[in-house]
Amino acid sequence: MTSLLKTTYMLSIVLSLSGCVLDSVRSHSSALEEIDNGNLHTLFINGKTTKRDVLTKLGPPINNQGDIATPLWLYHYRHEKKPLFLPKVGPLAGQDKTLSLRFDEKGVLVDAVLIDKAAN
């Protein structure tokens, strides 16, 4: 019986701590979750990708209030992990991504910049 009690006690501690580490908050465009600087320029090609392509992949940007004629589109994604007992550093902090896409007057991509940092 003592062994079962110890196992139950250890399991409850592990589950409590893992629940604290895994608790998280996601906000804004989750479509950015899988985009990083390694695949950015294969998904969005300067001189080829159009505003329509971006709308299909990411939906409307956060900065244009429904006016798709604006030349600069911004997307933001934040995944914040909220550990209770551990400091929020490195992978434990989560992600904060901002994607800016600049288009020419024909609606074709000129430049794509992704800023990917740890959430504060």
Side-chain angles (χ1 to χ4, degrees), residues 4-17:
L4 179 61
L5 190 57
K6 285 181 183 178
T7 303
T8 305
Y9 178 72
M10 290 302 292
L11 183 60
S12 67
I13 288 175
V14 169
L15 290 175
S16 296
L17 290 177

Side-chain angles (χ1 to χ4, degrees), residues 51-114:
K51 287 182 175 182
R52 182 176 295 222
D53 297 332
V54 175
L55 281 172
T56 302
K57 288 179 186 175
L58 301 178
I62 62 172
N63 69 315
N64 71 6
Q65 304 299 320
D67 179 15
I68 63 169
T70 58
L72 180 66
W73 288 13
L74 298 175
Y75 293 87
H76 183 250
Y77 169 73
R78 183 172 180 87
H79 177 195
E80 183 178 353
K81 297 180 181 178
K82 297 189 173 231
L84 294 178
F85 301 112
L86 301 171
K88 287 173 41 173
V89 293
L92 293 178
Q95 290 181 303
D96 192 350
K97 295 181 180 186
T98 303
L99 174 64
S100 66
L101 302 171
R102 191 167 47 92
F103 298 92
D104 65 13
E105 63 281 348
K106 294 179 184 176
V108 178
L109 186 66
V110 174
D111 191 33
V113 176
L114 178 69

